[in-house]
Amino acid sequence: MKSISFSEMKGPRSYFTNFDHRIVGRSKDRALLRRDVERNLKILLLFKSRIVCAASHLITPFTYEILKDNPELIQGSHIIPALRSDKESFQAIVKNNKDKAPAAFLDENVNSAVRWDVVDNSSWFKDRFLNEFKNPGSVIRQNLNPITDSVLD
């Protein structure tokens, strides 16, 4: 599997979260959810050349069934997983030992993955979040009003 950075990615792309286990877990009708997710993917692929998705979202049974039925999505790098830089494979992120089929399928079929570092990513989020406190026009600041500068500091 080829490792790429976000800066190397060319063309329009999107980050897709509809496979998140928290979204899937709340769904009462999996068939309806699958139809909606597949439609969302089709719409995005009309406008974006690449869709980035968290690797942990791809190893769930729900996502596995979609990708198994449509392997060209990952074989053709239409969906590119974002895999932590400290993980060498999808097998390395499987937490339970009872179903490794999704991870094995991905390890066999994914050509490239966007690599990301936990420390760098959390620092970036923290910095952005704190910068929003400094910006009087930000959504965070607007929802904290009235707030004094001393409390803000």
Side-chain angles (χ1 to χ4, degrees), residues 85-145:
S85 57
D86 63 332
K87 305 295 181 188
E88 293 302 316
S89 68
F90 291 93
Q91 294 283 350
I93 61 174
V94 175
K95 290 192 171 110
N96 65 26
N97 292 329
K98 61 183 177 179
D99 188 10
K100 292 194 174 195
F105 173 79
L106 291 166
D107 282 331
E108 290 175 18
N109 289 283
V110 169
N111 298 319
S112 57
V114 174
R115 304 307 291 231
W116 63 278
D117 183 83
V118 175
V119 174
D120 291 344
N121 199 41
S122 60
S123 298
W124 175 87
F125 179 80
K126 178 184 171 189
D127 293 343
R128 296 287 305 160
F129 190 74
L130 292 176
N131 282 336
E132 292 300 305
F133 280 115
K134 295 175 186 173
N135 178 357
S138 74
V139 173
I140 292 171
R141 280 288 294 276
Q142 294 297 315
N143 286 303
L144 289 176
N145 283 337

Side-chain angles (χ1 to χ4, degrees), residues 9-109:
M9 295 183 71
K10 303 292 183 222
R13 58 193 174 275
S14 180
Y15 197 88
F16 192 71
T17 59
N18 294 37
F19 291 137
D20 189 321
H21 68 278
R22 290 167 286 229
I23 294 170
V24 174
R26 286 192 299 261
S27 175
K28 290 180 176 57
D29 187 342
R30 294 285 168 90
L32 179 62
L33 177 64
R34 179 177 172 150
R35 188 192 73 198
D36 290 345
V37 166
E38 288 175 338
R39 284 181 177 173
N40 288 338
L41 284 171
K42 288 175 187 178
I43 290 168
L44 273 175
L45 285 169
L46 287 173
F47 299 101
K48 308 289 185 182
S49 57
R50 302 280 182 259
I51 297 172
V52 178
C53 186
S56 59
H57 295 177
L58 297 179
I59 60 170
T60 66
F62 175 78
T63 308
Y64 172 56
E65 291 301 318
I66 292 172
L67 296 177
K68 190 174 67 169
D69 292 344
N70 303 282
E72 62 278 358
L73 289 172
I74 55 173
Q75 291 169 342
S77 295
H78 301 293
I79 294 177
I80 300 175
L83 185 63
R84 281 181 27 184
S85 57
D86 63 332
K87 305 295 181 188
E88 293 302 316
S89 68
F90 291 93
Q91 294 283 350
I93 61 174
V94 175
K95 290 192 171 110
N96 65 26
N97 292 329
K98 61 183 177 179
D99 188 10
K100 292 194 174 195
F105 173 79
L106 291 166
D107 282 331
E108 290 175 18
N109 289 283

